[in-house]
Amino acid sequence: MQIKLNKYLPIEPVDDSPATTILPDEAKVQRCMTALDNYGEGANVLNAHVQSRLASFMEDMQIASTAKMIDSYISGTPASCVNINTIAGSLAGATDTLLDSTNDLLTELDQGITNYDASTLPLNKFEALLDRVSNTLEANAATILGTISNETQELAKMYETHKKMAMVMAVPALIKDDCIRPLLVRVAGAELIPLLTDEMKFF
């Protein structure tokens, strides 16, 4: 698509003779080409992210399940699937509708280029199409990268919670030590202190 748009960018004239073809606004063409490039990079990042998540899916789900129980215990509320749905969003098709709509948009752009070249699409409507494509691609790329960022951050938080819980549960004998016990509370972090203090009640 970028190759097709590239022909609309002005070239250095070999003489002072006027151009015989009316070109669309250079800035609109360039912005559309940049949006296409950025969207392509975002789609590649999404593909790599999904492949990585598939490879670690079972381990991620085990960690997420444990973190869900910890969150439920701490908050005193029923266990929620919200965090698990967040980290599995891309695998569950959170971006599928967006990807499909983008494909439809690119098909429309391709047809628009064909129609403009055939002089069946006026310049103003073609430029409006370029603007719409640019706006949509920029928004879609931002959504894709935002989805990946949210999943990655939530997953990292779950792994950290699980790591801290494992650390706490691995040292029950240390709870008996009056010198070490206060340190365990500090190291455990706010989200695991209730679990740790409950264990301390038995000593």
Side-chain angles (χ1 to χ4, degrees), residues 161-195:
T161 296
H162 187 272
K163 176 182 176 181
K164 288 182 178 180
M165 186 198 72
M167 176 185 63
V168 170
M169 298 308 166
V171 290
L174 296 179
I175 296 176
K176 298 179 181 179
D177 191 306
D178 292 337
C179 297
I180 295 177
R181 189 161 53 244
L183 297 177
L184 291 178
V185 174
R186 293 180 62 184
V187 171
E191 73 275 15
L192 290 177
I193 286 177
L195 290 176

Side-chain angles (χ1 to χ4, degrees), residues 22-45:
I22 299 177
L23 297 176
D25 185 277
E26 179 182 357
K28 295 179 183 293
V29 174
Q30 190 61 63
R31 181 187 172 205
C32 190
M33 293 175 66
T34 300
L36 283 164
D37 187 54
N38 290 340
Y39 177 81
E41 290 182 7
N44 288 336
V45 171

Side-chain angles (χ1 to χ4, degrees), residues 32-169:
C32 190
M33 293 175 66
T34 300
L36 283 164
D37 187 54
N38 290 340
Y39 177 81
E41 290 182 7
N44 288 336
V45 171
L46 175 62
N47 181 61
H49 174 72
V50 169
Q51 295 305 314
S52 174
R53 296 304 314 289
L54 285 172
S56 63
F57 178 74
M58 293 306 297
E59 181 180 1
D60 291 347
M61 290 300 102
Q62 289 174 344
I63 297 297
S65 179
T66 301
K68 179 183 69 172
M69 290 186 291
I70 294 173
D71 290 341
S72 175
Y73 179 87
I74 294 172
S75 64
T77 59
S80 169
C81 297
V82 172
N83 291 345
I84 291 178
N85 290 338
T86 296
I87 68 167
S90 60
L91 294 179
T95 59
D96 287 358
T97 300
L98 180 149
L99 294 172
D100 290 342
S101 66
T102 299
N103 287 335
D104 293 340
L105 183 67
L106 295 181
T107 299
E108 184 181 353
L109 175 60
D110 189 38
Q111 186 61 53
I113 292 173
T114 298
N115 293 344
Y116 181 69
D117 289 347
S119 299
T120 59
L121 182 66
L123 175 61
N124 64 327
K125 291 188 177 181
F126 183 55
E127 290 182 339
L129 174 61
L130 292 176
D131 285 340
R132 183 158 57 85
V133 170
S134 297
N135 292 335
T136 303
L137 289 180
E138 289 167 358
N140 288 357
T143 300
I144 288 174
L145 296 178
T147 298
I148 293 172
S149 178
N150 288 342
E151 289 184 17
T152 302
Q153 290 179 26
E154 187 61 40
L155 192 60
K157 186 172 71 174
M158 288 183 176
Y159 267 86
E160 182 63 21
T161 296
H162 187 272
K163 176 182 176 181
K164 288 182 178 180
M165 186 198 72
M167 176 185 63
V168 170
M169 298 308 166

